[in-house]
Amino acid sequence: MRSARTLTAIAAAITGSLVLAACGGSAGGGGSNEQTENIALRMTIWTSNEDHLALFNSIADDYMADHPEIASITFDPLPFDDYTSTVTTQIAGGNAPDLAWVLENAAPDFVASGALMPLNDTLEATEGYDFDDISASAAELWTHDGELIGYPFSTSPFVTFVNDDLLAEAGLPSGAEMLADGSWTWEDVSAAGATVKAGTGRTGFVVRDFDYLNWDYLSTVWNGWGASPWNEDGTQCTFDSPEMTEAFEFLHDAAFTSSSMPGPGTSADFFAGEAAFTVTQISRANLLPEDGFAWDLLPLPAGPDGEYAVTGQGGVGVIAQGPNPQAAADFLAYFTNPESSEALAAYFPPPRESLLTVDVLSAANPLLTPEQIETVVIPGIANGQVRPSHTDAAQIAQQVRASLDDLWTPGADVAGVLGQTCGAIAPLLEK
């Protein structure tokens, strides 16, 4: 992966090119140099899933049937790990795509830099689009000065999958029974996980994709303590707050004292039956084995601050420096209209309030029961707080990861490490 210094240089190049383009009058869509026929659109994405691509191509084919000026629409899968750096390199190098998916942690840089074309005018002018149907909370990360800069095409809640067979083997109640009797808290889950580990040798709970590297996935835990890595406007570090300290003390105890979660260098795959609980997004339901264990889907466990929800999010935007920004914006309006959004809901939970229904989401997620959709998925989408994001995300992530390395050892000074983390990222937050 590229270093933070390289990503910062790329971001600076993007900003510089946008400033020059604005002076020349070609940025922002619909410039005089834009093609009007034989238009080839390219959209970068981070999935190569055949089912996803088939759906995208179907939507594109329907659009091109009524728009003869569009010669082709290509969906260009890029490797996930290098996705953002590859897109920014293409933009800075003059090979910008017309449209791009944007990861939530890169959203502030893309939204604030001018790299994406504002969408309000195009979407509001599109017949039948129903712009006001887009959830304000889902759109918050993608909005700047009242303009929607990126469409939040996927707002996927984090949930807890439970292996009820493994809990029963350890002599414990099921997940649903824990929830019903008021013992669905992080302390309860950790205690159950420790019992599973002691009684079966298998793992208690796993925060999937954390792996002691991707620290922002731990927001699915620390939000239960009312903690946050920085204040609301992102100018001050709050890793050293009492709430965050308590959350990390809980995680440290789970890893090194009670052994209710895997420690560094170890792993467990819930979907292979190796753990009692896992926190992940609902899209991972397709990993459940057809003839495996009895499982359930529950909300995130409550923390000392009460119940909460966390979502992951992906947006799609029109690259202002792309070859045909207005044509790309017009296609984006079709790709995200109510009908297309309902089709996309099969894989990507939509931000449209009218589609957050049991009927729509049950059809899109046949493995889940209507009750799970109604009590876990819909509230998670409607009320979830998006995982942490900030400008200069690459640099910040690198500094936080390096600082937190000192935390993942027995006997670590949790408060001291979190104070050092704030010292490392404070200059970046103040920019």
Side-chain angles (χ1 to χ4, degrees):
M1 294 180 67
R2 295 175 181 268
S3 67
R5 180 175 298 176
T6 302
L7 288 174
T8 302
I10 292 171
I14 294 171
T15 303
S17 67
L18 288 171
V19 170
L20 292 173
C23 292
S26 61
S32 59
N33 294 328
E34 185 165 341
Q35 288 179 257
T36 58
E37 58 183 11
N38 294 322
I39 298 170
L41 297 178
R42 179 171 67 93
M43 177 173 166
T44 57
I45 58 178
W46 63 75
T47 178
S48 57
N49 181 284
E50 292 183 1
D51 293 332
H52 296 174
L53 293 172
L55 176 57
F56 299 159
N57 285 318
S58 174
I59 295 172
D61 289 343
D62 290 343
Y63 182 75
M64 289 189 291
D66 292 328
H67 292 81
E69 75 278 10
I70 306 297
S72 64
I73 300 175
T74 302
F75 298 96
D76 184 11
L78 303 176
F80 181 83
D81 288 344
D82 291 324
Y83 179 82
T84 298
S85 61
T86 302
V87 173
T88 52
T89 299
Q90 289 183 5
I91 296 172
N95 183 36
D98 296 281
L99 305 100
W101 285 6
V102 180
L103 293 164
E104 71 225 335
N105 62 3
D109 283 321
F110 273 84
V111 169
S113 69
L116 302 178
M117 173 182 168
L119 299 172
N120 286 42
D121 288 348
T122 299
L123 300 184
E124 291 176 345
T126 299
E127 184 178 356
Y129 189 81
D130 196 4
F131 184 80
D132 292 336
D133 189 36
I134 300 172
S135 164
S137 61
E140 182 178 0
L141 182 63
W142 309 92
T143 301
H144 184 67
D145 292 337
E147 285 278 352
L148 188 68
I149 308 298
Y151 177 89
F153 79 99
S154 179
T155 300
S156 182
F158 284 86
V159 296
T160 310
F161 286 94
V162 183
N163 183 330
D164 282 331
D165 283 349
L166 192 50
L167 291 178
E169 183 181 340
L172 295 167
S174 69
E177 289 170 335
M178 293 174 67
L179 180 65
D181 68 14
S183 57
W184 188 244
T185 70
W186 272 113
E187 293 293 343
D188 295 316
V189 166
S190 185
T195 300
V196 168
K197 178 67 173 178
T200 71
R202 282 175 280 183
T203 295
F205 73 89
V206 176
V207 179
R208 191 177 178 92
D209 298 317
F210 161 49
D211 296 329
Y212 292 90
L213 295 173
N214 303 310
W215 56 269
D216 52 335
Y217 281 96
L218 293 180
S219 62
T220 58
V221 179
W222 73 52
N223 278 24
W225 274 255
S228 175
W230 37 75
N231 63 352
E232 189 170 346
D233 65 8
T235 58
Q236 294 181 354
C237 177
T238 53
F239 264 107
D240 57 357
S241 69
E243 296 83 3
M244 187 69 88
T245 301
E246 290 179 10
F248 271 95
E249 286 174 344
F250 164 80
L251 289 163
H252 192 273
D253 178 82
F256 296 102
T257 304
S258 69
S259 299
S260 58
M261 68 177 284
T266 61
S267 62
D269 183 357
F270 171 88
F271 298 100
E274 298 171 354
F277 311 93
T278 191
V279 170
T280 190
Q281 288 171 285
I282 59 168
S283 58
R284 299 301 181 95
N286 65 344
L287 298 177
L288 288 163
E290 292 185 8
D291 299 315
F293 48 84
W295 62 274
D296 203 351
L297 182 80
L298 298 179
L300 296 176
D305 196 50
E307 297 179 357
Y308 65 102
V310 177
T311 61
Q313 206 171 51
V316 59
V318 173
I319 304 300
Q321 290 300 96
N324 299 284
Q326 189 55 55
D330 292 339
F331 172 63
L332 177 59
Y334 184 83
F335 189 74
T336 62
N337 69 21
E339 294 76 19
S340 298
S341 293
E342 185 168 355
L344 290 167
Y347 307 104
F348 308 104
R352 290 184 170 275
E353 294 179 350
S354 64
L355 297 180
L356 298 182
T357 68
V358 172
D359 288 344
V360 170
L361 295 178
S362 292
N365 298 274
L367 288 175
L368 307 184
T369 68
E371 181 181 5
Q372 290 168 339
I373 296 287
E374 184 172 18
T375 61
V376 181
V377 178
I378 291 177
I381 295 173
N383 304 318
Q385 181 177 347
V386 181
R387 284 195 303 143
S389 61
H390 202 285
T391 53
D392 291 330
Q395 280 190 304
I396 291 171
Q398 185 182 61
Q399 291 295 329
V400 172
R401 181 187 301 172
S403 296
L404 292 182
D405 278 348
D406 292 336
L407 185 65
W408 307 124
T409 59
D413 177 5
V414 174
V417 171
L418 295 179
Q420 293 171 8
T421 303
C422 273
I425 68 171
L428 297 173
L429 300 183
E430 293 168 0
K431 285 185 180 180

